[in-house]
């Protein structure tokens, strides 16, 4: 109890001086500026989150907080896996390993619909709440994920050839362990939030209920006044369709 009180006091002192550093349940910690709206503090896997009043800056090492066959065998989170993966496919490990990254995402604090919708690029298009990168629906330029799906680990992620671990589809660890099927999963670079494959009433979200950018607008627990948001679904394009709904920020590695 004494240690809990000390930890709470340190968080309060951190807020007083403009930054706090509080640990999540898994022992990780994120420095969060006191000017950052509460919803962004759900990104527990970042190393720091700050804001200049126009943009949110999210720094991450892109290291999943769950076990994976893609961690080096010397890592405590390494776990051999030989089961099934997304879509009931038999897991086939790709030759890559998870490598710590140094990435900073700059996303709009107050996202708005874009007049010209930019296509999502290959590589990171957003961030999950555990600090892991989100990728679009392609394995390469206009190449479907068909051949890559078998390499998704037990939590539906995998690393590319530079070691960037990422999710293309529902991040199973987040929807079943850290959050729920309807919970906040992260944000895309345009600042709009991403939710799981269910609505808050547990209704399954299907592609037919989403627009061409793979989202729609209504109130959520995080945004009671309503906001446009993306959803993961079980069918392509999984997370994003014809591009960003809003104007994307940037990511530096």
């Amino acid at each position: 109890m004494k240690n809990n009180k000390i930890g709470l006091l340190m968080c309060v002192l951190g807020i007083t001086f403009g930054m706090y550093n509080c640990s999540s349940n898994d022992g990780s910690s994120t420095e969060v500026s006191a000017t950052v709206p509460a919803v962004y503090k759900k990104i527990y896997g970042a190393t720091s989150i700050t804001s200049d009043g126009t943009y949110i800056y999210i720094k991450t090492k892109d290291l999943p907080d769950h076990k994976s066959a893609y961690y080096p065998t010397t890592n405590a989170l390494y776990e051999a896996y030989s089961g099934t993966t997304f879509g009931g496919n038999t897991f086939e490990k790709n030759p890559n390993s998870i490598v710590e990254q140094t990435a900073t995402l700059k996303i709009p604090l107050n996202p708005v619909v874009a007049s010209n919708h930019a296509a999502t690029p290959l590589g990171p298009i957003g961030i999950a709440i555990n600090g892991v990168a989100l990728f679009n629906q392609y394995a390469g330029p206009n190449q479907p994920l068909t051949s890559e799906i078998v390499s998704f680990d037990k939590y539906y992620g995998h690393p590319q050839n530079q070691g960037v671990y990422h999710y293309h589809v529902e991040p199973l660890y987040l929807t079943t362990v850290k959050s729920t099927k309807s919970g906040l999963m992260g944000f895309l670079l345009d600042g709009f939030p991403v939710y799981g494959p269910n609505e808050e009433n547990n209704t399954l979200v299907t592609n037919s209920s989403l627009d061409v950018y793979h989202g729609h607008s209504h109130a959520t627990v995080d945004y009671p006044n309503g906001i446009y948001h993306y959803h993961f679904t079980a069918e392509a394009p999984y997370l994003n369709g014809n591009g960003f709904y809003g104007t994307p920020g940037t990511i530096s590695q």
Side-chain angles (χ1 to χ4, degrees):
M1 181 65 74
K2 182 178 179 180
N3 288 338
N4 289 341
K5 289 182 178 179
I6 292 173
L8 179 59
L9 176 60
M10 292 301 291
C11 284
V12 172
L13 289 174
I15 292 172
T16 302
F17 289 100
M19 185 79 73
Y20 68 78
N21 188 320
C22 299
S23 297
S24 66
N25 290 335
D26 63 3
S28 61
S29 61
T30 303
E31 284 190 339
V32 184
S33 167
T35 60
V36 171
V39 66
Y40 297 98
K41 297 170 187 176
K42 289 190 174 185
I43 308 173
Y44 69 88
T47 56
S48 72
I49 306 174
T50 58
S51 175
D52 61 8
T54 303
Y55 292 96
I56 296 287
Y57 298 87
I58 305 166
K59 294 185 177 182
T60 180
K61 295 180 179 179
D62 193 38
L63 296 174
D65 56 331
H66 55 71
K67 292 185 176 181
S68 175
Y70 290 107
Y71 268 117
T73 56
T74 54
N75 192 297
L77 288 176
Y78 168 78
E79 180 181 70
Y81 185 63
S82 60
T84 58
T85 184
F86 185 78
N89 294 280
T90 300
F91 174 64
E92 296 180 19
K93 188 174 182 290
N94 75 27
N96 308 317
S97 295
I98 296 170
V99 176
E100 181 177 313
Q101 306 294 313
T102 302
T104 301
L105 288 81
K106 174 185 175 183
I107 67 175
L109 174 62
N110 298 300
V112 295
V113 60
S115 55
N116 294 302
H117 298 275
T120 55
L122 296 176
I125 65 169
I127 188 170
I129 59 173
N130 62 346
V132 167
L134 299 175
F135 278 32
N136 69 15
Q137 72 270 37
Y138 298 116
N142 296 315
Q143 297 174 11
L145 287 174
T146 310
S147 61
E148 280 200 4
I149 284 175
V150 296
S151 70
F152 296 168
D153 65 20
K154 66 184 290 186
Y155 291 119
Y156 298 171
H158 67 174
Q160 42 83 291
N161 55 5
Q162 277 88 38
V164 178
Y165 187 86
H166 57 279
Y167 306 117
H168 293 272
V169 300
E170 177 190 347
L172 196 63
Y173 181 72
L174 299 183
T175 59
T176 61
V177 178
K178 298 297 288 189
S179 184
T180 65
K181 293 279 187 178
S182 62
L184 180 72
M185 296 291 103
F187 293 86
L188 293 196
L189 283 174
D190 61 1
F192 286 107
V194 178
Y195 283 87
N198 288 8
E199 297 286 13
E200 289 173 4
N201 62 3
N202 284 325
T203 300
L204 182 68
V205 177
T206 61
N207 290 353
S208 63
S209 65
L210 304 175
D211 64 20
V212 295
Y213 307 104
H214 216 59
H216 57 191
S217 298
H218 62 69
T220 72
V221 65
D222 305 295
Y223 298 93
N225 294 325
I227 193 171
Y228 183 88
H229 55 279
Y230 303 97
H231 278 279
F232 280 103
T233 59
E235 298 179 342
Y238 310 113
L239 169 59
N240 182 266
N242 290 2
F244 291 108
Y245 183 73
T247 301
T250 60
I251 181 168
S252 58
Q253 300 262 16

